[in-house]
Short mmCIF file of all heavy atoms in Angstrom, two decimals:
data_model
loop_
_atom_site.label_atom_id
_atom_site.label_comp_id
_atom_site.label_asym_id
_atom_site.label_seq_id
_atom_site.Cartn_x
_atom_site.Cartn_y
_atom_site.Cartn_z
N GLN A 1 69.11 39.38 76.79
CA GLN A 1 68.23 40.55 76.73
C GLN A 1 68.17 41.10 75.32
O GLN A 1 67.11 41.49 74.84
CB GLN A 1 68.72 41.64 77.68
CG GLN A 1 68.49 41.33 79.13
CD GLN A 1 68.97 42.44 80.01
OE1 GLN A 1 69.78 43.27 79.62
NE2 GLN A 1 68.48 42.47 81.23
N ALA A 2 69.30 41.16 74.64
CA ALA A 2 69.30 41.70 73.29
C ALA A 2 68.51 40.78 72.34
O ALA A 2 67.76 41.25 71.50
CB ALA A 2 70.73 41.83 72.77
N LEU A 3 68.66 39.49 72.51
CA LEU A 3 67.90 38.55 71.68
C LEU A 3 66.43 38.66 71.95
O LEU A 3 65.60 38.64 71.03
CB LEU A 3 68.40 37.12 71.93
CG LEU A 3 69.81 36.82 71.45
CD1 LEU A 3 70.23 35.43 71.88
CD2 LEU A 3 69.92 36.97 69.94
N ALA A 4 66.05 38.78 73.23
CA ALA A 4 64.65 38.88 73.57
C ALA A 4 64.04 40.20 73.05
O ALA A 4 62.92 40.23 72.56
CB ALA A 4 64.46 38.79 75.07
N ALA A 5 64.82 41.29 73.12
CA ALA A 5 64.33 42.57 72.67
C ALA A 5 64.04 42.58 71.18
O ALA A 5 63.11 43.25 70.73
CB ALA A 5 65.35 43.67 73.02
N ASN A 6 64.78 41.82 70.43
CA ASN A 6 64.58 41.78 68.97
C ASN A 6 63.69 40.62 68.55
O ASN A 6 63.56 40.32 67.37
CB ASN A 6 65.92 41.69 68.25
CG ASN A 6 66.55 43.03 68.11
OD1 ASN A 6 65.98 44.04 68.49
ND2 ASN A 6 67.75 43.06 67.57
N LYS A 7 63.08 39.93 69.51
CA LYS A 7 62.13 38.84 69.23
C LYS A 7 62.69 37.83 68.25
O LYS A 7 62.04 37.44 67.27
CB LYS A 7 60.83 39.44 68.71
CG LYS A 7 60.16 40.34 69.73
CD LYS A 7 58.83 40.87 69.23
CE LYS A 7 58.17 41.67 70.30
NZ LYS A 7 58.34 43.05 70.29
N GLY A 8 63.94 37.38 68.49
CA GLY A 8 64.51 36.32 67.69
C GLY A 8 65.09 36.74 66.36
O GLY A 8 65.48 35.90 65.60
N VAL A 9 65.15 38.02 66.06
CA VAL A 9 65.69 38.48 64.79
C VAL A 9 67.21 38.45 64.81
O VAL A 9 67.83 38.27 63.78
CB VAL A 9 65.21 39.93 64.49
CG1 VAL A 9 65.88 40.50 63.27
CG2 VAL A 9 63.70 39.95 64.31
N SER A 10 67.80 38.55 65.96
CA SER A 10 69.26 38.60 66.07
C SER A 10 69.89 37.31 65.60
O SER A 10 69.25 36.26 65.58
CB SER A 10 69.66 38.86 67.53
OG SER A 10 69.18 40.12 67.92
N PRO A 11 71.17 37.35 65.25
CA PRO A 11 71.87 36.15 64.78
C PRO A 11 71.87 35.08 65.85
O PRO A 11 71.99 35.35 67.04
CB PRO A 11 73.27 36.63 64.50
CG PRO A 11 73.30 38.08 64.71
CD PRO A 11 72.01 38.51 65.28
N ARG A 12 71.73 33.83 65.39
CA ARG A 12 71.77 32.68 66.30
C ARG A 12 72.60 31.60 65.65
O ARG A 12 72.52 31.37 64.45
CB ARG A 12 70.38 32.16 66.58
CG ARG A 12 69.54 33.16 67.36
CD ARG A 12 68.15 32.70 67.70
NE ARG A 12 67.79 31.42 67.18
CZ ARG A 12 66.56 30.91 67.20
NH1 ARG A 12 65.61 31.62 67.74
NH2 ARG A 12 66.29 29.74 66.70
N VAL A 13 73.39 30.92 66.49
CA VAL A 13 74.24 29.83 66.00
C VAL A 13 73.35 28.77 65.36
O VAL A 13 72.31 28.39 65.89
CB VAL A 13 75.06 29.23 67.16
CG1 VAL A 13 75.83 28.00 66.69
CG2 VAL A 13 76.00 30.29 67.75
N GLY A 14 73.76 28.31 64.19
CA GLY A 14 73.03 27.26 63.50
C GLY A 14 71.96 27.77 62.53
O GLY A 14 71.33 26.99 61.86
N TYR A 15 71.76 29.08 62.48
CA TYR A 15 70.79 29.69 61.60
C TYR A 15 71.46 30.67 60.66
O TYR A 15 72.52 31.22 60.99
CB TYR A 15 69.70 30.42 62.40
CG TYR A 15 68.86 29.49 63.24
CD1 TYR A 15 69.26 29.14 64.53
CD2 TYR A 15 67.68 28.97 62.73
CE1 TYR A 15 68.49 28.28 65.29
CE2 TYR A 15 66.91 28.11 63.49
CZ TYR A 15 67.32 27.76 64.77
OH TYR A 15 66.56 26.90 65.52
N ARG A 16 70.85 30.91 59.53
CA ARG A 16 71.38 31.89 58.59
C ARG A 16 71.38 33.28 59.25
O ARG A 16 70.42 33.64 59.93
CB ARG A 16 70.55 31.93 57.32
CG ARG A 16 71.11 32.85 56.26
CD ARG A 16 70.31 32.78 55.00
NE ARG A 16 70.47 31.48 54.40
CZ ARG A 16 71.14 31.24 53.28
NH1 ARG A 16 71.69 32.24 52.63
NH2 ARG A 16 71.26 30.03 52.81
N ALA A 17 72.43 34.02 59.03
CA ALA A 17 72.52 35.38 59.60
C ALA A 17 71.43 36.26 58.98
O ALA A 17 71.13 36.16 57.80
CB ALA A 17 73.89 35.98 59.29
N PRO A 18 70.81 37.12 59.79
CA PRO A 18 69.81 38.03 59.26
C PRO A 18 70.38 38.92 58.14
O PRO A 18 71.47 39.49 58.31
CB PRO A 18 69.40 38.89 60.46
CG PRO A 18 69.80 38.09 61.65
CD PRO A 18 70.99 37.31 61.24
N ASP A 19 69.67 38.99 57.04
CA ASP A 19 70.13 39.78 55.91
C ASP A 19 69.90 41.27 56.19
O ASP A 19 69.03 41.64 56.99
CB ASP A 19 69.40 39.35 54.65
CG ASP A 19 70.16 39.67 53.38
OD1 ASP A 19 71.33 40.08 53.46
OD2 ASP A 19 69.58 39.50 52.29
N PHE A 20 70.65 42.11 55.53
CA PHE A 20 70.44 43.55 55.62
C PHE A 20 70.94 44.20 54.34
O PHE A 20 71.67 43.59 53.58
CB PHE A 20 71.13 44.17 56.84
CG PHE A 20 72.61 43.94 56.93
CD1 PHE A 20 73.51 44.74 56.23
CD2 PHE A 20 73.13 42.93 57.73
CE1 PHE A 20 74.88 44.53 56.31
CE2 PHE A 20 74.50 42.71 57.83
CZ PHE A 20 75.37 43.51 57.11
N VAL A 21 70.51 45.44 54.11
CA VAL A 21 70.90 46.21 52.93
C VAL A 21 71.61 47.46 53.39
O VAL A 21 71.13 48.18 54.29
CB VAL A 21 69.66 46.61 52.08
CG1 VAL A 21 70.08 47.41 50.89
CG2 VAL A 21 68.86 45.39 51.68
N VAL A 22 72.77 47.73 52.80
CA VAL A 22 73.54 48.94 53.06
C VAL A 22 73.96 49.52 51.71
O VAL A 22 73.73 48.90 50.67
CB VAL A 22 74.78 48.64 53.96
CG1 VAL A 22 74.35 48.30 55.37
CG2 VAL A 22 75.63 47.52 53.37
N LYS A 23 74.59 50.65 51.71
CA LYS A 23 75.08 51.29 50.49
C LYS A 23 76.60 51.23 50.45
O LYS A 23 77.26 51.45 51.47
CB LYS A 23 74.66 52.76 50.43
CG LYS A 23 73.16 53.01 50.42
CD LYS A 23 72.64 52.94 49.03
CE LYS A 23 71.16 53.35 49.03
NZ LYS A 23 70.53 53.03 47.78
N ASP A 24 77.15 50.96 49.27
CA ASP A 24 78.60 51.10 49.14
C ASP A 24 78.90 52.58 48.86
O ASP A 24 77.98 53.39 48.73
CB ASP A 24 79.17 50.16 48.08
CG ASP A 24 78.69 50.45 46.66
OD1 ASP A 24 78.16 51.55 46.38
OD2 ASP A 24 78.86 49.54 45.79
N LEU A 25 80.16 52.92 48.77
CA LEU A 25 80.50 54.35 48.59
C LEU A 25 80.13 54.89 47.21
O LEU A 25 80.13 56.10 47.02
CB LEU A 25 81.99 54.55 48.88
CG LEU A 25 82.41 54.28 50.33
CD1 LEU A 25 83.90 54.54 50.51
CD2 LEU A 25 81.60 55.12 51.31
N ALA A 26 79.78 54.00 46.29
CA ALA A 26 79.30 54.43 44.97
C ALA A 26 77.79 54.63 44.96
O ALA A 26 77.22 55.01 43.95
CB ALA A 26 79.71 53.43 43.89
N GLY A 27 77.14 54.33 46.10
CA GLY A 27 75.70 54.51 46.21
C GLY A 27 74.87 53.29 45.83
O GLY A 27 73.64 53.36 45.78
N ASN A 28 75.53 52.17 45.58
CA ASN A 28 74.84 50.94 45.22
C ASN A 28 74.36 50.18 46.45
O ASN A 28 75.08 50.16 47.46
CB ASN A 28 75.75 50.02 44.39
CG ASN A 28 76.26 50.69 43.15
OD1 ASN A 28 75.50 51.22 42.36
ND2 ASN A 28 77.57 50.69 42.98
N ASP A 29 73.21 49.55 46.34
CA ASP A 29 72.74 48.67 47.41
C ASP A 29 73.59 47.42 47.46
O ASP A 29 73.91 46.82 46.42
CB ASP A 29 71.28 48.26 47.19
CG ASP A 29 70.30 49.37 47.51
OD1 ASP A 29 70.71 50.37 48.12
OD2 ASP A 29 69.12 49.21 47.15
N VAL A 30 73.98 47.01 48.66
CA VAL A 30 74.74 45.77 48.89
C VAL A 30 74.04 45.05 50.04
O VAL A 30 73.69 45.67 51.06
CB VAL A 30 76.20 46.08 49.27
CG1 VAL A 30 76.94 44.81 49.60
CG2 VAL A 30 76.89 46.85 48.16
N THR A 31 73.81 43.76 49.87
CA THR A 31 73.20 42.98 50.94
C THR A 31 74.22 41.99 51.51
O THR A 31 75.17 41.61 50.83
CB THR A 31 71.98 42.19 50.44
OG1 THR A 31 72.41 41.24 49.47
CG2 THR A 31 70.93 43.11 49.84
N LEU A 32 73.97 41.59 52.74
CA LEU A 32 74.82 40.57 53.32
C LEU A 32 74.74 39.29 52.48
O LEU A 32 75.75 38.65 52.24
CB LEU A 32 74.39 40.27 54.76
CG LEU A 32 75.11 39.12 55.46
CD1 LEU A 32 76.60 39.41 55.56
CD2 LEU A 32 74.51 38.89 56.83
N SER A 33 73.56 38.98 51.98
CA SER A 33 73.42 37.75 51.18
C SER A 33 74.19 37.81 49.87
O SER A 33 74.47 36.77 49.28
CB SER A 33 71.93 37.46 50.92
OG SER A 33 71.30 38.55 50.25
N ASP A 34 74.60 38.99 49.43
CA ASP A 34 75.48 39.11 48.25
C ASP A 34 76.84 38.46 48.50
O ASP A 34 77.55 38.15 47.57
CB ASP A 34 75.74 40.57 47.88
CG ASP A 34 74.52 41.30 47.33
OD1 ASP A 34 73.59 40.62 46.86
OD2 ASP A 34 74.52 42.55 47.36
N GLN A 35 77.18 38.29 49.76
CA GLN A 35 78.50 37.78 50.14
C GLN A 35 78.55 36.26 50.27
O GLN A 35 79.56 35.71 50.70
CB GLN A 35 78.94 38.41 51.47
CG GLN A 35 78.78 39.90 51.56
CD GLN A 35 79.49 40.65 50.46
OE1 GLN A 35 80.62 40.32 50.10
NE2 GLN A 35 78.83 41.66 49.90
N LEU A 36 77.47 35.56 49.93
CA LEU A 36 77.44 34.10 50.05
C LEU A 36 78.64 33.47 49.35
O LEU A 36 79.06 33.92 48.30
CB LEU A 36 76.14 33.54 49.47
CG LEU A 36 74.88 33.76 50.30
CD1 LEU A 36 73.65 33.24 49.54
CD2 LEU A 36 74.99 33.10 51.66
N GLY A 37 79.16 32.43 49.95
CA GLY A 37 80.27 31.71 49.35
C GLY A 37 81.56 31.80 50.12
O GLY A 37 82.48 31.01 49.89
N LYS A 38 81.67 32.73 51.03
CA LYS A 38 82.86 32.83 51.89
C LYS A 38 82.44 33.41 53.23
O LYS A 38 81.40 34.03 53.34
CB LYS A 38 83.99 33.61 51.24
CG LYS A 38 83.67 35.02 50.81
CD LYS A 38 84.90 35.85 50.44
CE LYS A 38 85.40 35.66 49.05
NZ LYS A 38 86.44 36.63 48.66
N PRO A 39 83.26 33.18 54.24
CA PRO A 39 82.95 33.77 55.56
C PRO A 39 82.89 35.28 55.45
O PRO A 39 83.56 35.88 54.60
CB PRO A 39 84.10 33.34 56.44
CG PRO A 39 84.79 32.24 55.71
CD PRO A 39 84.49 32.41 54.26
N VAL A 40 82.08 35.91 56.30
CA VAL A 40 81.94 37.36 56.29
C VAL A 40 82.31 37.92 57.64
O VAL A 40 81.81 37.46 58.68
CB VAL A 40 80.49 37.78 55.94
CG1 VAL A 40 80.36 39.30 55.91
CG2 VAL A 40 80.06 37.18 54.61
N PHE A 41 83.20 38.89 57.65
CA PHE A 41 83.58 39.63 58.86
C PHE A 41 82.76 40.92 58.84
O PHE A 41 82.92 41.76 57.96
CB PHE A 41 85.08 39.96 58.82
CG PHE A 41 85.56 40.77 59.99
CD1 PHE A 41 86.16 40.13 61.08
CD2 PHE A 41 85.42 42.14 60.04
CE1 PHE A 41 86.62 40.86 62.15
CE2 PHE A 41 85.86 42.88 61.10
CZ PHE A 41 86.46 42.24 62.19
N ILE A 42 81.84 41.04 59.81
CA ILE A 42 80.99 42.26 59.89
C ILE A 42 81.42 43.03 61.11
O ILE A 42 81.57 42.49 62.19
CB ILE A 42 79.50 41.88 60.03
CG1 ILE A 42 79.04 41.01 58.88
CG2 ILE A 42 78.66 43.16 60.13
CD1 ILE A 42 77.65 40.43 59.07
N ASN A 43 81.61 44.34 60.91
CA ASN A 43 81.94 45.22 62.02
C ASN A 43 81.10 46.47 61.90
O ASN A 43 81.12 47.16 60.89
CB ASN A 43 83.43 45.59 62.00
CG ASN A 43 83.83 46.40 63.20
OD1 ASN A 43 83.58 46.03 64.34
ND2 ASN A 43 84.45 47.54 62.94
N PHE A 44 80.30 46.75 62.96
CA PHE A 44 79.52 47.98 62.99
C PHE A 44 80.42 49.06 63.58
O PHE A 44 81.09 48.85 64.57
CB PHE A 44 78.24 47.77 63.78
CG PHE A 44 77.32 46.76 63.13
CD1 PHE A 44 77.31 45.45 63.53
CD2 PHE A 44 76.54 47.14 62.06
CE1 PHE A 44 76.49 44.52 62.91
CE2 PHE A 44 75.73 46.22 61.41
CZ PHE A 44 75.69 44.92 61.83
N PHE A 45 80.37 50.26 62.98
CA PHE A 45 81.44 51.23 63.16
C PHE A 45 80.86 52.66 63.12
O PHE A 45 79.84 52.90 62.52
CB PHE A 45 82.41 51.03 62.00
CG PHE A 45 83.47 52.07 61.85
CD1 PHE A 45 84.63 51.99 62.59
CD2 PHE A 45 83.32 53.11 60.94
CE1 PHE A 45 85.61 52.95 62.44
CE2 PHE A 45 84.30 54.07 60.80
CZ PHE A 45 85.45 53.99 61.56
N ALA A 46 81.58 53.58 63.76
CA ALA A 46 81.33 55.02 63.61
C ALA A 46 82.67 55.73 63.79
O ALA A 46 83.51 55.30 64.59
CB ALA A 46 80.33 55.52 64.65
N THR A 47 82.87 56.79 63.03
CA THR A 47 84.18 57.49 63.06
C THR A 47 84.43 58.16 64.41
O THR A 47 85.58 58.35 64.79
CB THR A 47 84.25 58.55 61.96
OG1 THR A 47 83.24 59.54 62.16
CG2 THR A 47 84.10 57.94 60.60
N TRP A 48 83.40 58.50 65.14
CA TRP A 48 83.55 59.18 66.43
C TRP A 48 83.82 58.21 67.58
O TRP A 48 84.15 58.61 68.68
CB TRP A 48 82.30 60.01 66.75
CG TRP A 48 81.03 59.22 66.63
CD1 TRP A 48 80.19 59.19 65.56
CD2 TRP A 48 80.47 58.33 67.60
NE1 TRP A 48 79.15 58.34 65.80
CE2 TRP A 48 79.30 57.79 67.05
CE3 TRP A 48 80.83 57.92 68.88
CZ2 TRP A 48 78.48 56.87 67.73
CZ3 TRP A 48 80.05 57.00 69.54
CH2 TRP A 48 78.88 56.50 68.97
#
């Protein structure tokens, strides 16, 4: 259902992970693709 709701945008085995842009604590843009070259552990989080 989640994959269908996002029309194929979600991560899929065998395909490059969807890129995204976030900010580091210094206010700089950081993309997932900046991390190429090693495995990436992604965790979506909230303090509450």
Side-chain angles (χ1 to χ4, degrees):
Q1 288 181 340
L3 292 173
N6 278 357
K7 298 182 176 97
V9 173
S10 297
R12 294 181 356 190
V13 174
Y15 294 87
R16 184 176 293 250
D19 204 8
F20 58 82
V21 179
V22 290
K23 299 274 187 193
D24 65 17
L25 295 180
N28 302 308
D29 285 348
V30 176
T31 64
L32 175 61
S33 58
D34 291 340
Q35 311 305 318
L36 286 176
K38 56 168 84 170
V40 181
F41 178 97
I42 304 170
N43 184 53
F44 296 98
F45 171 84
T47 62
W48 51 263

